[in-house]
Amino acid sequence: MNTTIRLGGITANSVVDGPGLRTVVFLQGCPRRCPGCQNPELLDAGGGREATLEEVLQEIQGTLSPITRGITFSGGDPLMQPEALKELITRLREAFPRLDVWVFTGSRYEEVQHLPLLDQIDVLVDGPFEQDKKDLDLAFRGSANQRLIDVPKSRQTGRVVEWQPGGA
């Protein structure tokens, strides 16, 4: 399968997009246009560049070190490309099973919980950025309305379970 994805960029060695040392994959496209968006250059769904999943996997592999804990998908909104993202995460899990996977989205968990790709995600950071709820003291999110959802536990219990440090 020669699937492509609209890529904004890849950053190695992040410590602010989830626990531990992480590689962050920024995907293009977001319809929300939240005031104060941290990544306005990623809003345009036609921006960035189109890349095959093989190219993205090679770029990710080049960023990894023995102490890399996980991969975070941010944007834009990665859930704007659900099929390609699911395939990419599936391949990542096969190639690098020790890494956890976090995904940021402006959607609420309740709106996207039906998406099959959530079966591949450890933590979903949900909710749009809200300027009036901005809080720089929050771990791994920008505004107080956003939640860190432990997806496997939420799917198992049928209710939202927030991620706790020491978890996924």
Side-chain angles (χ1 to χ4, degrees):
M1 178 186 286
N2 193 22
T3 302
T4 61
I5 198 160
R6 184 57 74 172
L7 184 67
I10 297 176
T11 300
N13 304 322
S14 171
V15 294
V16 297
D17 297 293
L21 201 61
R22 310 186 72 76
T23 292
V24 184
V25 179
F26 294 95
L27 300 183
Q28 285 290 146
C30 182
R32 295 184 191 283
R33 309 297 195 257
C34 301
C37 175
Q38 180 174 326
N39 300 319
E41 69 282 3
L42 300 173
L43 298 177
D44 179 5
R49 66 183 170 91
E50 193 170 301
T52 67
L53 299 188
E54 291 77 19
E55 290 169 335
V56 176
L57 284 167
Q58 286 179 351
E59 287 184 50
I60 290 170
Q61 184 171 9
T63 69
L64 301 178
S65 77
I67 61 170
T68 302
R69 176 167 172 182
I71 307 290
T72 298
F73 292 90
S74 189
D77 190 333
L79 297 188
M80 296 284 299
Q81 303 181 67
E83 295 85 12
L85 182 59
K86 180 181 187 296
E87 180 65 23
L88 180 56
I89 294 173
T90 298
R91 292 184 191 187
L92 274 170
R93 290 207 174 276
E94 290 169 1
F96 311 106
R98 70 177 175 84
L99 301 176
D100 65 45
V101 175
W102 283 42
V103 174
F104 282 74
T105 182
S107 299
R108 299 293 284 173
Y109 175 80
E110 293 81 0
E111 299 168 328
V112 297
Q113 64 185 334
H114 66 282
L115 292 174
L117 80 93
L118 264 67
D119 289 332
Q120 299 293 324
I121 296 171
D122 295 301
V123 174
L124 184 75
V125 182
D126 82 334
F129 174 74
E130 294 183 12
Q131 184 83 34
D132 63 332
K133 294 183 176 127
K134 182 177 181 176
D135 185 343
L136 298 177
D137 292 328
L138 294 172
F140 314 129
R141 57 196 186 274
S143 58
N145 62 296
Q146 296 171 313
R147 302 176 293 179
L148 307 174
I149 307 295
D150 184 320
V151 177
K153 287 181 182 174
S154 296
R155 289 172 100 61
Q156 182 179 29
T157 64
R159 63 179 180 75
V160 170
V161 176
E162 294 204 33
W163 175 83
Q164 300 297 319

